[in-house]
Amino acid sequence: MTETGQTAAARMPLLNKMLFASDHVGLQAIQYFRQSWILFFLVPPMGEGIARVPDVSLLGFDVDARVFAGFLIFAGRFIDAFTDPLIGWWSDRTRSRWGRRIPFILFSTPFYALFAAMVWFLPTEDASLWNAIYFVIVLELFFTAATMSSGALEALVPEVAREASDRMNLVGLIFLFAIFGAVLGLAISGPLVDALGFQGVGVILAAMGIGFRYVSLAAVWKHAPRDTTPAMVSFWRSMRETIRNPQFVYFLPTFVMFTTGVGVMMGWIPFFASQVLLAEEEGTVTGLIFALAILGAVVSGLVFWRLISRVKMSKRRVYGSCLVASGVVFPLLGLVGLFSESGLLVQGLAMAFAAGLPMAGVFMLPKGLTADIADYDAMLNGERREAMFYATQNFFEKITFALPPALLALVLLLGETTEDPLGLRLAPVLAGVLALLGIVMWHRYRLPDTVNRETVTEAGLLPPRTAPGAAD
């Protein structure tokens, strides 16, 4: 990054950082509302509504409507994943009077909001293949617009926050605003669904998404660097160098497995509220469960923020602890009501709070870790390719994060009702196992929180060469 870019980032006022981070209110609200309710929306439990996609026959096999819906969600995510590296590479190479990122955010945001709402407006209320076709097309258009808009905004994090303390403060603010968005998308959306329906909530959140996105863009408009030299390497070389970065290789599987486990839990909660907690208004109770989980994430997140910022505990140690704790706590939700049927709601809310404690690792730390890895890569290769790292992370995340609906649908085939609850009990166990699998590679990650030549050398990660103009 140029000296001009560093100076601009250092002078970014606190108010601008807060407004920049506020985008995550709309972003997370849209994401978590869709993530937690889409399978329930397409194929609700028996007795809770009419399925909007049908049972189908594929290659001679009869496929249950919920498995089919899970496949549709997976297919949309899987196809979308391949656009992330291409758009990230394009963003890194862009040259304009507004810099590399702003044009993407400015022009793709209206489409991002439009298609976020349209996902919930299916052609018919019956179980129809037209609904399935429409859903996949609109979901794909939404994902593409979101990649262009959100990906470019995400790539600005390391560009406007260069120092370790400045970056952690910005990441902490993003965490706090993301919590507000999660409250809207997970907790408040439940009662709103009961009152307004899925379409009404979808429109409200889409309007919030476009509003917060442009507020964020306005806040960073004068501080986003205009003179950073665009990356010039070919797409395939850029992709190859990204996935060969050893620290990125150690980080990526942990994030992917962790978020996949969390995704299983989020999609499972409405079924848990309806069939285990026996809630008549599953939207409201689902909202309460998510609210307690988010409260747990807020409590632990504030503790982690202080430990990293004040006590100087490393992001590496905090993140690893979250992986282990999630693997232990998630399965406990499957025990609710198993030994005692009294106070089911209290049991569920208490366990939801406990499960939320390690989720702060997902909410807060990955953006900072990826920014550190992008700085390290600049030392190795002499070009700043932030968007490519975030896009590659999103590529693998989307491929595997497309799995939770399909995995959940398969597990629920083992039993999804009060009378036959085996699948409902096993889903949290699956989530815990996925989180624990992430720890396998994490012990090899050694990048320090402050990435410069001195700290990297001390960590034994001295790059073999230093290209002219590389960050240090």
Side-chain angles (χ1 to χ4, degrees):
M1 180 177 243
T2 64
E3 192 67 34
T4 303
Q6 291 179 4
T7 303
R11 291 199 304 264
M12 189 171 175
L14 176 61
L15 177 60
N16 290 70
K17 291 179 184 176
M18 294 177 65
L19 294 175
F20 174 66
S22 71
D23 170 70
H24 282 260
V25 175
L27 174 67
Q28 301 298 338
I30 291 172
Q31 174 179 323
Y32 286 117
F33 176 61
R34 185 191 69 252
Q35 189 173 306
S36 59
W37 282 103
I38 195 64
L39 189 62
F40 191 97
F41 167 71
L42 293 174
V43 187
M46 289 190 301
E48 296 291 337
I50 300 174
R52 293 174 170 88
V53 297
D55 297 330
V56 296
S57 179
L58 294 175
L59 302 175
F61 294 96
D62 293 331
V63 179
D64 177 80
R66 184 170 295 120
V67 175
F68 181 45
F71 173 77
L72 294 176
I73 299 168
F74 171 80
R77 271 294 195 183
F78 184 82
I79 296 169
D80 165 64
F82 290 90
T83 66
D84 278 87
L86 285 169
I87 293 173
W89 173 74
W90 180 16
S91 177
D92 284 334
R93 290 171 61 91
T94 295
R95 189 188 303 271
S96 79
R97 62 191 180 96
W98 292 328
R100 299 190 293 173
R101 318 299 183 194
I102 288 177
F104 287 86
I105 305 167
L106 186 64
F107 297 114
S108 60
T109 294
F111 298 99
Y112 154 73
L114 173 65
F115 295 125
M118 287 179 63
V119 164
W120 303 97
F121 288 84
L122 300 181
T124 74
E125 285 296 319
D126 300 322
S128 166
L129 281 175
W130 287 114
N131 284 344
I133 294 169
Y134 170 92
F135 176 76
V136 170
I137 292 173
V138 173
L139 188 66
E140 202 55 49
L141 290 171
F142 164 74
F143 284 147
T144 301
T147 297
M148 297 184 70
S149 180
S150 304
L153 194 72
E154 190 174 44
L156 282 173
V157 171
E159 293 189 347
V160 300
R162 298 291 298 130
E163 299 295 329
S165 59
D166 197 40
R167 183 170 295 171
M168 191 60 212
N169 286 335
L170 182 57
V171 168
L173 289 170
I174 289 174
F175 163 73
L176 291 178
F177 282 105
I179 288 295
F180 289 132
V183 169
L184 287 171
L186 296 174
I188 296 178
S189 67
L192 288 177
V193 166
D194 290 337
L196 303 175
F198 290 103
Q199 291 85 0
V201 179
V203 169
I204 291 171
L205 296 185
M208 292 180 59
I210 193 172
F212 278 106
R213 179 62 49 86
Y214 279 135
V215 166
S216 180
L217 178 59
V220 80
W221 187 276
K222 294 182 179 179
H223 301 277
R226 263 65 165 182
D227 52 357
T228 301
T229 303
M232 300 307 296
V233 297
S234 68
F235 170 76
W236 291 114
R237 180 183 168 189
S238 181
M239 187 73 178
R240 185 169 60 250
E241 290 179 351
T242 299
I243 62 178
R244 285 182 176 177
N245 184 301
Q247 301 306 303
F248 191 56
V249 169
Y250 301 147
F251 160 69
L252 188 60
T254 72
F255 179 68
V256 162
M257 300 307 292
F258 196 6
T259 53
T260 302
V262 172
V264 169
M265 293 292 293
M266 288 179 178
W268 170 78
I269 290 296
F271 296 92
F272 172 66
S274 172
Q275 302 301 310
V276 176
L277 301 186
L278 307 177
E280 293 184 3
E281 294 185 347
E282 67 274 351
T284 299
V285 174
T286 295
L288 283 173
I289 294 170
F290 280 130
L292 265 294
I294 292 167
L295 179 60
V298 170
V299 171
S300 61
L302 293 174
V303 172
F304 295 155
W305 190 359
R306 181 170 181 83
L307 288 174
I308 295 169
S309 301
R310 304 287 185 180
V311 185
K312 304 302 180 184
M313 182 179 290
S314 69
K315 293 194 289 285
R316 173 182 178 274
R317 183 176 178 183
V318 170
Y319 188 72
S321 299
C322 288
L323 293 175
V324 175
S326 295
V328 173
V329 175
F330 285 176
L332 298 180
L333 272 148
L335 302 179
V336 171
L338 192 61
F339 303 107
S340 173
E341 296 184 359
S342 63
L344 285 176
L345 181 58
V346 174
Q347 290 183 50
L349 294 179
M351 290 310 305
F353 177 83
L357 294 172
M359 286 188 192
V362 176
F363 279 118
M364 183 168 64
L365 297 177
K367 290 186 186 300
L369 291 167
T370 303
D372 294 342
I373 294 168
D375 285 347
Y376 177 57
D377 177 76
M379 296 181 67
L380 293 173
N381 298 303
E383 290 188 332
R384 297 209 63 87
R385 298 183 296 118
E386 295 89 349
M388 194 63 180
F389 274 93
Y390 282 108
T392 304
Q393 174 184 321
N394 290 335
F395 168 77
F396 286 100
E397 178 190 358
K398 285 177 179 179
I399 287 179
T400 53
F401 212 52
L403 287 173
L407 290 174
L408 180 60
L410 290 172
V411 172
L412 291 179
L413 288 176
L414 299 174
E416 62 159 13
T417 64
T418 305
E419 295 76 20
D420 184 20
L422 180 59
L424 288 168
R425 300 293 183 185
L426 290 180
V429 177
L430 172 62
V433 170
L434 290 169
L436 282 178
L437 286 175
I439 201 67
V440 174
M441 297 290 287
W442 187 242
H443 71 282
R444 304 183 68 180
Y445 180 91
R446 292 185 291 134
L447 202 62
D449 285 355
T450 299
V451 179
N452 56 43
R453 174 152 295 277
E454 180 181 353
T455 59
V456 168
T457 301
E458 185 178 338
L461 300 173
L462 178 67
R465 61 181 176 84
T466 304
D472 56 9

